[in-house]
């Protein structure tokens, strides 16, 4: 399938309050086309909620419920089980709706992680999307567990000291039916993964890398360019896993197989104002070398994990 062959139905309509260049509306457009109209979304406090429009108006045309920050796992899992009960009693007919979460990295990596892990362990029947912009952007750019090392945020004003967690890999180790990572720079790969996950029953997790021009401080027109650089430098890896079995995809597979060399990480980091302190530091060369070494080690680890 080519991008021009995607379904024409739009689930994001004019009226969004999102920033210019915001990646989340682009991501929601693609997953809406893959999920179709028979879907129910749960949204925790985030940019996706703050920008959905003034009540009672909304820019989303799918069924959406705003829920508490820490409750994505319990809310979606409970809704899926309630639907199952209504079908068993014969009160609902036809195909069961896809229950999905649309949650940022704060609601996934930090505040909502406990309930999400429990849902994955129980194999609750819903699809969790983490749109990862590597910060609490909605509340002014505080650091999260997904914020990379050396990035400036309002709560790491000298640059974050430690690296980010690898939550997609943690979710894979729960051995659920499906886990995947995706990038807005490769929309057909994202569409394929969502469509595949839609047809699976049980717990599914897809994390989408979402460069945020406001928090990361780069021009709004460069959102997709930054998404592509993240993948080409190896800073963001594309893969999918079924019941714990991992497969590398696309550019990441080419990097792993040595068919292409990673782009210099400086080409990805330097346009981002959040790394301005790194590039002014007398230790810039050592820190960039450390970042590239970490990227190489992570890729090597995932190559080994894919062999299991």
């Amino acid at each position: 399938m080519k991008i021009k062959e995607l379904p024409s139905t739009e689930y994001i309509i004019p009226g969004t309050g999102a920033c210019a260049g915001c990646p989340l509306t682009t991501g929601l457009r693609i997953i809406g086309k893959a999920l179709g109209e028979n879907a129910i979304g749960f949204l925790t406090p985030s940019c996706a909620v703050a920008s959905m429009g003034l009540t009672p108006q909304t820019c989303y045309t799918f069924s959406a419920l705003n829920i508490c920050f820490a409750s994505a796992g319990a809310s979606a899992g409970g809704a899926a089980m309630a639907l199952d009960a209504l079908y068993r009693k014969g009160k609902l007919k036809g195909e069961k709706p896809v229950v999905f979460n649309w949650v940022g990295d704060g609601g996934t990596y930090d505040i909502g992680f406990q309930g999400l892990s429990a849902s994955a362990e129980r194999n609750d029947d819903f699809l969790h999307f983490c749109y990862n912009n590597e910060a609490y952007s909605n509340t002014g750019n505080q650091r999260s567990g997904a914020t990379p090392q050396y990035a400036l945020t309002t709560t790491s004003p000298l640059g974050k000291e430690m690296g980010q967690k690898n939550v997609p890999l943690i979710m894979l180790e729960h051995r659920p039916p499906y886990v995947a990572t995706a990038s807005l720079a490769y929309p057909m790969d994202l569409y394929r993964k969502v469509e595949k996950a839609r047809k699976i029953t049980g717990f599914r997790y897809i994390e989408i890398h979402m460069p945020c021009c406001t928090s990361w401080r780069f021009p709004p027109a460069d959102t997709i360019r930054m998404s592509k650089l993240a993948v080409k430098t190896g800073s963001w890896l594309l893969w999918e896993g079924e019941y714990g079995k991992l497969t590398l995809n696309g550019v990441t597979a080419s990097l792993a197989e040595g068919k292409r060399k990673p782009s210099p990480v400086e080409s990805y980091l330097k346009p981002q104002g959040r790394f301005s302190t790194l590039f002014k530091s007398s230790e810039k060369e050592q820190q960039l070398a450390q970042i590239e070494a970490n990227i190489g080690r992570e890729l090597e680890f995932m190559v080994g994990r894919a062999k299991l």
Side-chain angles (χ1 to χ4, degrees):
M1 175 182 280
K2 298 178 180 178
I3 196 165
K4 65 181 180 181
E5 297 172 337
L6 290 176
S8 59
T9 304
E10 295 289 350
Y11 295 92
I12 309 297
I13 57 177
T16 175
C19 302
C22 178
L24 78 86
T25 49
T26 304
L28 265 177
R29 282 188 68 195
I30 297 169
I31 73 160
K33 292 175 183 294
L35 293 178
E37 63 183 9
N38 192 24
I40 303 171
F42 290 80
L43 295 80
T44 60
S46 64
C47 293
V49 172
S51 63
M52 67 192 301
L54 295 175
T55 303
Q57 305 297 322
T58 174
C59 66
Y60 305 149
T61 62
F62 55 86
S63 299
L65 291 88
N66 295 335
I67 57 174
C68 297
F69 217 150
S71 70
S75 297
M81 285 185 262
L83 286 170
D84 287 338
L86 291 172
Y87 276 101
R88 282 197 302 273
K89 294 177 179 178
K91 294 185 177 180
L92 289 178
K93 305 290 185 183
E95 185 179 3
K96 180 182 174 183
V98 177
V99 177
F100 73 96
N101 287 328
W102 183 253
V103 179
D105 48 291
T108 300
Y109 279 58
D110 302 331
I111 296 172
F113 182 77
Q114 180 186 18
L116 193 62
S117 174
S119 289
E121 187 271 334
R122 289 191 301 263
N123 196 28
D124 290 345
D125 183 25
F126 67 87
L127 172 53
H128 183 91
F129 291 100
C130 172
Y131 67 95
N132 181 0
N133 56 24
E134 301 182 348
Y136 290 82
S137 295
N138 178 45
T139 48
N141 190 31
Q142 293 81 33
R143 74 183 286 287
S144 77
T147 304
Q149 190 176 26
Y150 302 125
L152 300 174
T153 69
T154 55
T155 49
S156 57
L158 300 179
K160 189 182 174 189
E161 294 182 8
M162 59 291 293
Q164 65 268 58
K165 294 186 280 189
N166 191 337
V167 169
L169 184 61
I170 295 171
M171 299 315 298
L172 181 75
E173 300 302 351
H174 286 69
R175 303 294 196 273
Y178 191 69
V179 177
T181 62
S183 165
L184 293 181
Y186 302 92
M188 297 314 297
D189 179 67
L190 169 60
Y191 181 86
R192 178 186 67 80
K193 289 171 175 173
V194 177
E195 193 175 42
K196 183 176 182 177
R198 178 176 63 83
K199 300 173 182 174
I200 297 173
T201 300
F203 184 85
R204 295 141 284 163
Y205 178 98
I206 297 178
E207 183 164 327
I208 310 167
H209 191 234
M210 299 231 168
C212 171
C213 56
T214 303
S215 293
W216 298 18
R217 294 156 55 190
F218 62 80
D222 287 346
T223 298
I224 301 302
R225 186 173 78 88
M226 298 306 297
S227 298
K228 188 166 289 187
L229 282 169
V231 175
K232 288 186 172 182
T233 58
S235 301
W236 182 254
L237 303 180
L238 298 175
W239 56 267
E240 60 189 322
E242 297 180 59
Y243 295 102
K245 177 61 179 175
L246 185 149
T247 304
L248 301 179
N249 302 134
V251 172
T252 300
S254 297
L255 294 176
E257 294 166 2
K259 294 180 178 177
R260 64 185 299 167
K261 292 184 177 179
S263 300
V265 74
E266 186 171 351
S267 66
Y268 170 54
L269 301 183
K270 195 166 185 178
Q272 302 177 39
R274 62 176 179 161
F275 290 108
S276 58
T277 300
L278 184 157
F279 284 96
K280 294 175 184 175
S281 170
S282 60
E283 299 177 348
K284 179 186 78 171
E285 297 302 327
Q286 298 96 307
Q287 291 175 347
L288 286 173
Q290 179 195 352
I291 292 171
E292 290 202 316
N294 290 339
I295 289 173
R297 184 167 51 251
E298 186 71 12
L299 180 59
E300 184 178 3
F301 177 86
M302 295 300 281
V303 169
R305 180 63 183 78
K307 294 177 181 177
L308 299 178

